[in-house]
């Protein structure tokens, strides 16, 4: 919700791109940080487990939202084309 509401000034395509990519950096950025901070711990795998479980959930939510977001972009593009035709015409 934060990624979506923080991007209201962007074009619809850019908002969707930001939303989909911003949430998927968790594993790529989080795992190296955890490995550095907790390198000497024996339970490193237990510490990484929530992050490793969270990433597939993010992918699943993105999959479920993709159709709705594609419709949002198509609808907004259609409105922009209609407004451009009315302005020219």
């Amino acid at each position: 919700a934060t990624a979506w509401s923080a991007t209201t000034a962007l074009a619809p395509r850019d908002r969707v791109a930001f939303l989909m990519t911003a949430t998927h950096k968790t594993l790529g950025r989080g795992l190296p940080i955890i490995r550095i901070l907790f390198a000497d711990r024996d339970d490193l795998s237990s510490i990484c487990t929530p992050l490793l479980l969270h990433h597939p959930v993010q992918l699943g939510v993105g999959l479920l939202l993709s159709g709705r977001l594609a419709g949002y972009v198509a609808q907004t593009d259609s409105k922009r084309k209609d407004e451009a035709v009315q302005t020219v015409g």
Side-chain angles (χ1 to χ4, degrees):
T2 304
W4 187 252
S5 60
T7 59
T8 55
L10 296 176
R13 289 178 182 271
D14 295 334
R15 282 183 86 182
V16 171
F18 182 82
L19 176 70
M20 297 303 276
T21 58
T23 58
H24 295 282
K25 294 182 189 272
T26 306
L27 187 61
R29 298 272 167 93
L31 200 54
I33 292 171
I34 289 173
R35 289 181 63 196
I36 291 168
L37 292 175
F38 301 105
D40 57 344
R41 296 205 32 182
D42 293 334
D43 60 343
L44 184 60
S45 61
S46 298
I47 294 170
C48 294
T49 301
L51 183 63
L52 294 171
L53 294 175
H54 183 70
H55 185 68
V57 171
Q58 287 177 321
L59 293 174
V61 169
L63 177 66
L64 294 174
L65 289 176
S66 63
R68 180 173 267 174
L69 292 172
Y72 165 74
V73 170
Q75 179 183 8
T76 336
D77 284 349
S78 175
K79 284 183 183 179
R80 285 185 178 192
K81 286 179 185 176
D82 290 344
E83 290 172 358
V85 168
Q86 290 175 358
T87 305
V88 173

